[in-house]
Amino acid sequence: MNNENQMILDNYPPQDKGMFQVLGWMSKSEFAALLQSIQQQQQVQVPIIQDCDGNILDGHHRQLAHSILKIKEPLKVQTVGQMTEKEKRRFALSVNLVRRQISRQERRRIIGNELRSDPEMSNTQLAEICGTTKKTVRSVRDELVAKGEIPRMERTRRRNGGTYPLPHILTQNKRTTGRAQKAMKQLGDDVPRKSMTVRDAEGLVRRKRREQRINSSVPSQCLKGVKLFHSDFRDLNMTDQSVRLVITDPPYAKSALPLWEDLGIFAARILAPGGVLVSYTGISHLPQIMSALAKHLEYVWTISLLIDSGKTYIRHIGGRGGWRPIVVFAKGPYQGRQGFTDLRWAHKKEKDFHDWQQPLDVSRDLVEIFADPGEMVCDPFGGSFTNAIASYELGRRFIGCDIEEQNVRIGQHRLAEVIKDAKEGKAVAGKIAPPTTA
């Protein structure tokens, strides 16, 4: 140990004590042994545990050692949520009692303090927290009752059900730890009791906001030329050869592959001669998707949607995907009205309304290229109904559906926002007709 570290150790323990450092600082000899162990390994193996405000529940000594030794390996942090102050304190107590060398007398003193603060707690629960037996807790309780320090309880408070895992997120740098803490705060009591990634938690936050936003909104005014249905696309009642453009984004999973041939059959029926199917696809099953659509339509081209940020990790190739195919098929020979480039960019993620939401500006480009004003556009997998918004703003008629009722409500909500923004001059108003109530 160098002279600088020895000086720090000479001034140990620090004067400051953490909010949940219920057992205080360990002895100087114990901390010196911890320092030596961490220095040999050149990493802190056990994560620091924090609440969503950054208060340490477990790991004060590991954090101090990491700082003293200037370890290059980032400090791992596990962020937990959905706990009251009392629960945090008891959690800190339980994890520290497992690791620290506590004498029998000191453990009984801690049990006594907990009983004084909450005499209604059952012996079983307190024994679990303090890492001891019900018999020991009962013995301490009897002593305190005999001294008149706590009342004799006729009935103790038991927990409903068994023990549950804490909701937590494990991170390895300050930036992702900050994101984890923010997500935990935003989820509040809605955080699931399980281990999550930062992306999982942020996805739940978006979903929560989305539900609050949709539930607080009024139904959209009906727009002439725009129809949304809660329906499976295979049950959608549409006139044959009535559509110029089918633009959509079906599920990409292997289990959803049968939908693609059904989509090809559906598009071949409703598209007018020369009409076009434009569809986002995944990459993993692209050959099967292309084969299914080619049974009923003629392949035209593939557009590449380049993704600037948030690239998806692809486990089976050990890399990240930076683009997404958009396939173009036609009913009969392709009859393009204008040329197009086969590159599009997604500069930022737009996931406010749906986890699979695609960029609105890309949808506008595609609708404008493949359908003229007044022509019918159809989206059989509506999702967040981005294609409905694009079609309305560009003066195309639209019909779409989704099998999830909430997605249809999302579409109605978004159309309501378009109407409101158009009235306030914040966006381009629809070119078909002014909004009318049903």
Side-chain angles (χ1 to χ4, degrees), residues 202-326:
E202 290 175 338
L204 291 173
V205 170
R206 287 195 301 270
R207 218 164 292 164
K208 181 178 180 179
R209 284 179 179 167
R210 189 183 303 148
E211 290 173 0
Q212 291 172 342
R213 194 172 180 183
I214 301 305
N215 291 336
S216 64
S217 69
V218 295
S220 73
Q221 295 168 294
C222 293
L223 304 178
K224 285 184 178 179
V226 178
K227 296 179 181 179
L228 311 185
F229 294 95
H230 172 214
S231 168
D232 186 304
F233 74 96
R234 291 163 292 198
D235 299 325
L236 196 60
N237 185 18
M238 293 193 63
T239 305
D240 293 355
Q241 302 187 27
S242 61
V243 173
R244 169 61 191 178
L245 170 64
V246 174
I247 178 170
T248 194
D249 185 17
Y252 306 156
K254 184 177 183 179
S255 59
L257 285 176
L259 290 173
W260 289 90
E261 183 160 358
D262 290 343
L263 173 62
I265 295 170
F266 175 79
R269 179 177 69 81
I270 68 169
L271 284 173
V276 179
L277 165 68
V278 176
S279 180
Y280 296 87
T281 76
I283 301 175
S284 296
H285 308 294
L286 187 57
Q288 297 97 310
I289 290 169
M290 300 290 278
S291 176
L293 295 177
K295 291 179 182 179
H296 310 281
L297 302 166
E298 293 188 19
Y299 173 71
V300 177
W301 206 250
T302 299
I303 298 171
S304 299
L305 178 63
L306 305 181
I307 303 168
D308 285 349
S309 61
K311 296 177 176 60
T312 303
Y313 178 71
I314 305 169
R315 188 179 300 276
H316 70 277
I317 66 169
R320 295 190 177 275
W323 74 291
R324 182 165 297 132
I326 302 175

Side-chain angles (χ1 to χ4, degrees), residues 47-51 55-59 62 77-78 80 91 95:
I48 306 300
I49 301 178
Q50 295 182 350
D51 66 10
N55 298 310
I56 296 177
L57 305 183
D58 176 51
R62 299 193 295 281
V77 177
Q78 184 171 301
V80 299
F91 172 77
V95 293

